[in-house]
Amino acid sequence: MLTISSEQLNLLADDWLARRILVFLRQHLPEKCNEPDATLLESIRNYIKTARENGIRTERAIAKWSYLLLLTDGKLLDVNGVKDYLEQPHLSQSKKVDRLMKSLAVAGKLTTG
């Protein structure tokens, strides 16, 4: 009988999530997905790790977090005020990621015209 340990199950779940996020990023940010799948998956695994380190837990929020990190070449946390914003207790981490997405969209519109 085949037995899968909880550690193996977690690794499979993390790999599945990373692959789902890869599909999402290729659909919504193709211009930033020029690397081979293996390279992108490694980056996405790091995005998932930083998401969890910042209290981001839902698949949807982790996918958006990954989008933001890929869009900013991994420098989102270096933007002045982002770390402080994520540490504020008044909103859920998912809502904070939604607001970061909206802020970035607005900033993009302001800089492009």
Side-chain angles (χ1 to χ4, degrees), residues 46-47 49-56 65 68-70 72-87 93 97 100:
N46 286 327
Y47 302 159
K49 182 179 176 230
T50 62
R52 289 180 176 153
E53 288 170 354
N54 286 285
I56 300 164
W65 179 259
L68 290 169
L69 284 174
L70 183 61
T72 62
D73 297 320
K75 296 179 177 126
L76 178 65
L77 288 170
D78 297 334
V79 174
N80 190 23
V82 170
K83 284 182 187 178
D84 292 336
Y85 178 67
L86 290 172
E87 292 172 1
Q93 295 304 81
V97 171
L100 286 170

Side-chain angles (χ1 to χ4, degrees), residues 33-74:
C33 294
N34 299 325
E35 303 288 330
D37 283 0
T39 304
L40 286 169
L41 284 168
E42 183 178 333
S43 294
I44 292 167
R45 287 182 187 102
N46 286 327
Y47 302 159
I48 292 168
K49 182 179 176 230
T50 62
R52 289 180 176 153
E53 288 170 354
N54 286 285
I56 300 164
R57 302 278 182 250
T58 67
E59 180 179 318
R60 181 181 154 278
I62 291 172
K64 286 183 174 185
W65 179 259
S66 298
Y67 177 96
L68 290 169
L69 284 174
L70 183 61
L71 186 65
T72 62
D73 297 320

